[in-house]
Amino acid sequence: QFQLDEPWDSPANKKLIAKMPPLYRSAASKHEVAEGKTNYLLPTGEGALFAGREGPKLTGVKDGTSNTLLVVEVADNAAVVWTKPEDLTYDAKRPAAGLGGLRKEGFNAAMADGSVRFLPLPQPDDQLRALFSPSGGEPVK
């Protein structure tokens, strides 16, 4: 139903926002599914797995796919409309920005190997940077 040859917010595509599949919304979210906002985002930007316009290659994940974040659960205030081409902009100076807030002690994350983990917050910034980085050589504890 999504018109790929039109902008995400064209009149035809806007009709689909309210039809967001419920699994795109965290069970801990206060948003209504009808708002069409997803809590599951790709970390993008310098230092993250999705750092450029092209998708990553698994062979470039030198730190190991089980040690690299692929998708993170974000707070409601960082959630985006599920059809909008927007994700979580990773900031190495503030690696926890947007994370947490839905659950008392941390957030859910999918790793690049497909596994899902609950990651505690707060945790040291250097540890979070190591999880975001696909090939920085930092130890992950």
Side-chain angles (χ1 to χ4, degrees):
Q1 294 179 5
F2 192 83
Q3 302 300 313
L4 295 174
D5 59 341
E6 296 180 17
W8 73 271
D9 59 351
S10 71
N13 287 335
K14 274 185 146 177
K15 292 176 185 174
L16 299 175
I17 293 171
K19 296 181 178 184
M20 180 180 84
L23 64 95
Y24 287 6
R25 178 186 163 272
S26 171
S29 174
K30 302 294 186 256
H31 284 303
E32 296 296 321
V33 174
E35 292 180 58
K37 290 190 174 184
T38 181
N39 299 94
Y40 301 110
L41 303 179
L42 294 173
T44 62
E46 187 176 339
L49 184 60
F50 289 84
R53 291 192 51 87
E54 292 185 22
K57 294 188 176 21
L58 288 181
T59 56
V61 182
K62 305 294 184 204
D63 292 348
T65 56
S66 62
N67 295 322
T68 304
L69 293 170
L70 175 66
V71 176
V72 293
E73 180 184 56
V74 300
D76 280 341
N77 63 357
V80 299
V81 173
W82 77 286
T83 58
K84 187 175 182 178
E86 184 177 334
D87 285 291
L88 178 72
T89 302
Y90 168 68
D91 180 356
K93 293 178 183 169
R94 299 178 42 234
L99 305 176
L102 293 182
R103 301 168 194 286
K104 282 187 174 186
E105 299 165 357
F107 65 100
N108 288 310
M111 308 308 285
D113 68 354
S115 66
V116 176
R117 296 185 196 167
F118 183 79
L119 298 173
L121 284 177
Q123 62 176 281
D125 284 352
D126 62 335
Q127 181 63 30
L128 282 172
R129 279 191 286 273
L131 289 165
F132 277 104
S133 168
S135 56
E138 313 92 343
V140 174
K141 301 170 189 163

